Amino acid sequence: MCGIWALFGSDECLSVQCLSAMKIAHRGPDAFRFENVNGFTNCCFGFHRLAVVDQLYGMQPIRVKKFPYLWLCYNGEIYNFKQLQKQFGFDFQTLVDGEVILHLYNRGGIEQTASMLDGVFAFILLDTANRKVFLARDTYGVRPLFKVLTDDGFLGVCSEAKGLINLKHSTSLCSKVEPFLPGHYEVLDLKPSGKVASVELVKFHSCKDEPLHVACDTVEALPSGFDLETVKNNIRILFENAVRKRLMAHRRIGCLLSGGLDSSLVAAILLKLMKEINTNYPLQTFAIGMENSPDLLAARKVAAHIGSEHHEVILNTEEGIQAIEEVIFSLETYDITTIRASIGMYLVSKYIRKKTDSVVIFSGEGSDELTQGYIYFHKAPSPEEAAEESERLLKELYLFDVLRADRTTAAHGLELRVPFLDHRFTSYYLSLPAELRIPKNGIEKYLLRLSFEDSNLLPKEILWRPKEAFSDGIASVKKSWFSILQDYIDQQVDDLLLEKAAEKYPFNPPKTKESYYYRQIFEKHYSGRSSWLPHYWMPRWVKATDPSARTLKHYKSATQE
């Protein structure tokens, strides 16, 4: 996890512009470099480093003697770099996983490069010999990337939008900062002036398609067929492999643990694999919640079962409310459910950074979207519509859960790893018949739970624990976190303000005081940028006025069971 930033064709003094690069310093607390491009005095790279692999030669932009005309700035982890090196006989100059991007590009161009990377990434690749600039981002947008391109060819690229919104330029025409689409690469011509012109934007991978890099995966061809035992076995093999490949790190590994199915499975398999490779430190797991909240109690049970070094962060109401503004500033969104869930994750990340030496943090993001874990999936009209909704959610992850997970951890200089969004695992799961993937017997994620039932990885009551939204699970059963937030915000927003909300904010107008409160804070920091959120996250197929699972009829609190 790092912060990347680059400018091409700047009219303003670069020493002034580079102040914008400092807005993302939190993403890389270990080192910073600012470098001009030879021959293009108005082009430059900025890089904030979190040293996770090759601590000696890992500074960026990466340049190697073999390709002096290539400049690479990337944020991410390429899990198959050693397999690619072996398959194609690449001669590496460093131990940095991202160096493989230079070799792949030299061998087969940008299309092959993006398609063969098994990992999470956002990168800027400059080829001065051919006068090209390339941008690319992984399938699910696990690593963030924003860009601004003016009509006269000034290009700014950054890991977070906050590094671009205050750039100076002679013209403000078409200076719209926008997220770079996941699963895409863009080709731009570099003019002698340093300015650029977009040539094409190409989608190189869809979540349903088996990735090209399967050809050099450590797990060979799986048994085919959709009989239940084969499917369950394949799910176990692929998910364990997804966790295993993400062990690549020279820094201490930890794991977020809410006590729900997803984070518990990740933690259990992670600890098992760390024991197999004789890791010389115990796995630290981290839970956050109010005293005796469902998440704390469940996480405690899981940690005891798997034998992790468990840490509990007690959330108090005042601390959570005080964090709202800094959370919204970090997130760059005003989505209701994203902000609610981010507060706990932001505070637990703050604890990890201050109180421990864990830096590489595993988490369970992506499972709800992939395995139909949201409670509203019980109301899907058909298995086919449920499958379509699952794909829609995966495509929009970069706007919601993946955005939350990246920004809340990156704000404290931590690197997130999300095995449920492994390319091969997700493409296999989405290839299964729609009927197999739907909730069954009133239980969501039924197939995933069933696949691990005989593994003894988790206590049965955790493996079959009903879905609890992170923002609800951290609070007590009697009063959920969203209710606590709403009670506070009711006192902060006047009724009259809410009545006129649609006039003040015509795009995505706030419908509740809570929504209005978040929007006010967002506009304070990112005025006029409301289009970054195309729509609010809300459940489908139900008459919901609030995104919280606890407002849906299907939800049962532990006190009612």
Side-chain angles (χ1 to χ4, degrees):
M1 196 281 301
C2 300
I4 60 175
W5 181 89
L7 298 185
F8 298 90
S10 173
D11 292 340
E12 299 292 325
C13 174
L14 291 179
S15 60
V16 174
Q17 300 281 49
C18 77
L19 293 174
S20 285
M22 302 313 291
K23 295 284 181 67
I24 58 161
H26 51 273
R27 297 190 69 88
D30 294 333
F32 171 67
R33 178 182 284 174
F34 183 71
E35 191 167 338
N36 285 13
V37 177
N38 303 344
F40 296 90
T41 54
N42 57 357
C43 300
C44 62
F45 288 93
F47 177 67
H48 294 276
R49 186 179 187 213
L50 179 69
V52 173
V53 295
D54 195 350
Q55 300 191 13
L56 186 59
Y57 294 109
M59 276 304 284
Q60 298 186 34
I62 295 175
R63 304 182 69 202
V64 294
K65 290 175 184 175
K66 197 171 183 180
F67 316 118
Y69 49 88
L70 296 183
W71 305 59
L72 173 69
C73 228
Y74 88 104
N75 170 24
E77 297 78 46
I78 311 303
Y79 303 121
N80 64 341
F81 78 106
K82 287 183 179 175
Q83 291 94 300
L84 291 168
Q85 180 186 22
K86 186 178 177 183
Q87 178 162 333
F88 297 121
F90 294 148
D91 182 18
F92 282 9
Q93 188 175 308
T94 72
L95 299 175
V96 179
D97 50 296
E99 186 186 333
V100 77
I101 295 170
L102 300 175
H103 295 269
L104 280 172
Y105 170 72
N106 180 69
R107 181 184 182 275
I110 191 64
E111 174 92 39
Q112 186 194 64
T113 301
S115 302
M116 289 298 287
L117 298 175
D118 182 8
V120 294
F121 56 86
F123 68 74
I124 308 154
L125 176 62
L126 169 63
D127 179 346
T128 55
N130 293 294
R131 294 271 175 86
K132 298 286 185 190
V133 176
F134 304 97
L135 309 178
R137 190 177 181 191
D138 66 75
T139 305
Y140 297 109
V142 174
R143 291 292 175 261
L145 194 66
F146 284 81
K147 74 165 197 177
V148 58
L149 179 60
T150 65
D151 285 350
D152 67 339
F154 167 54
L155 173 68
V157 188
C158 189
S159 295
E160 297 181 19
K162 56 180 68 69
L164 300 175
I165 57 174
N166 293 318
L167 288 174
K168 304 285 187 289
H169 193 60
S170 57
T171 171
S172 60
L173 295 175
C174 195
S175 56
K176 183 183 176 187
V177 176
E178 54 191 1
F180 189 82
L181 289 174
H184 286 70
Y185 68 80
E186 185 170 11
V187 182
L188 303 107
D189 282 333
L190 178 66
K191 299 173 183 176
S193 65
K195 289 190 162 42
V196 303
S198 182
V199 177
E200 60 177 343
L201 179 67
V202 179
K203 186 171 189 176
F204 67 85
H205 186 232
S206 295
C207 53
K208 285 179 76 174
D209 300 335
E210 185 174 72
L212 287 182
H213 55 69
V214 165
C216 57
D217 200 351
T218 50
V219 172
E220 295 177 4
L222 294 167
S224 58
F226 296 130
D227 64 281
L228 195 55
E229 287 309 310
T230 298
V231 167
K232 284 160 56 180
N233 191 50
N234 287 347
I235 286 172
R236 286 193 300 271
I237 290 170
L238 288 178
F239 189 64
E240 186 167 307
N241 186 51
V243 177
R244 182 182 288 109
K245 69 178 74 165
R246 284 164 175 77
L247 288 171
M248 181 183 88
H250 294 163
R251 301 289 287 272
R252 184 167 184 163
I253 290 170
C255 189
L256 298 181
L257 179 59
S258 71
L261 174 68
D262 310 326
S263 63
S264 298
L265 266 182
V266 171
I269 293 172
L270 178 57
L271 194 138
K272 170 178 171 273
L273 296 176
M274 286 171 70
K275 281 181 180 174
E276 286 178 12
I277 60 172
N278 296 314
T279 306
N280 61 0
Y281 56 81
L283 174 66
Q284 293 179 327
T285 50
F286 304 95
I288 186 168
M290 293 178 174
E291 208 72 69
N292 295 320
S293 63
D295 278 6
L296 278 191
L297 299 175
R300 205 176 293 163
K301 193 173 289 184
V302 174
H305 183 85
I306 66 175
S308 63
E309 180 194 301
H310 192 53
H311 296 244
E312 290 185 354
V313 181
I314 304 300
L315 173 70
N316 67 64
T317 304
E318 190 178 332
E319 185 184 21
I321 286 167
Q322 282 179 348
I324 293 173
E325 180 154 357
E326 55 195 89
V327 165
I328 292 173
F329 176 73
S330 294
L331 293 175
E332 303 173 334
T333 189
Y334 53 94
D335 179 63
I336 305 162
T337 190
T338 304
I339 293 166
R340 286 178 188 168
S342 293
I343 293 167
M345 200 163 180
Y346 182 88
L347 292 173
V348 76
S349 298
K350 187 177 184 179
Y351 170 89
I352 295 169
R353 185 69 190 179
K354 283 188 172 182
K355 305 286 188 182
T356 78
D357 59 347
S358 286
V359 174
V360 176
I361 306 298
F362 279 67
S363 190
E365 270 71 32
S367 176
D368 285 325
E369 291 77 8
L370 176 67
T371 66
Q372 303 184 14
Y374 292 115
I375 286 171
Y376 72 83
F377 272 99
H378 290 281
K379 303 292 185 183
S382 68
E384 291 70 30
E385 285 189 59
E388 284 175 20
E389 173 68 357
S390 183
E391 287 169 43
R392 182 188 73 83
L393 289 170
L394 285 165
K395 286 172 188 170
E396 291 190 346
L397 266 172
Y398 77 104
L399 297 167
F400 300 109
D401 275 24
V402 153
L403 180 149
R404 163 179 57 78
D406 173 82
R407 299 304 197 288
T408 54
T409 49
H412 302 290
L414 304 176
E415 179 180 292
L416 189 79
R417 300 215 171 157
V418 283
F420 275 108
L421 292 176
D422 181 78
H423 299 163
R424 192 169 179 193
F425 178 68
T426 55
S427 66
Y428 175 75
Y429 205 95
L430 293 172
S431 76
L432 299 173
E435 178 62 40
L436 264 184
R437 292 182 273 148
I438 58 171
K440 286 189 173 63
N441 304 331
I443 300 169
E444 64 283 343
K445 292 188 265 201
Y446 187 82
L447 178 60
L448 180 66
R449 298 175 197 271
L450 199 63
S451 299
F452 288 94
E453 189 174 39
D454 300 324
S455 66
N456 197 37
L457 281 167
L458 296 171
K460 287 286 189 285
E461 64 269 29
I462 298 295
L463 186 65
W464 295 96
R465 184 188 175 199
K467 167 69 183 167
E468 179 89 78
F470 183 47
S471 57
D472 295 334
I474 61 172
S476 68
V477 171
K478 292 174 184 174
K479 191 159 191 178
S480 64
W481 176 232
F482 83 88
S483 298
I484 292 165
L485 282 171
Q486 287 174 340
D487 287 351
Y488 167 76
I489 290 166
D490 272 347
Q491 308 302 314
Q492 310 302 312
V493 178
D494 188 81
D495 291 345
L496 192 61
L497 287 174
L498 186 60
E499 283 175 27
K500 296 186 176 181
E503 292 173 34
K504 190 171 184 180
Y505 306 119
F507 183 77
N508 281 340
K511 300 284 174 61
T512 65
K513 286 187 176 184
E514 183 187 9
S515 179
Y516 190 96
Y517 184 72
Y518 298 156
R519 183 65 170 271
Q520 271 188 318
I521 296 171
F522 174 85
E523 294 288 345
K524 175 182 168 183
H525 295 287
Y526 307 110
S527 179
R529 314 279 183 176
S530 60
S531 63
W532 290 346
L533 177 69
H535 60 87
Y536 292 106
W537 193 100
M538 288 291 280
R540 293 189 66 193
W541 306 307
V542 290
K543 289 181 180 177
T545 55
D546 190 282
S548 171
R550 288 198 182 179
T551 63
L552 303 182
K553 286 181 182 177
H554 188 88
Y555 177 84
K556 295 178 184 177
S557 75
T559 55
Q560 294 173 308
E561 292 178 340

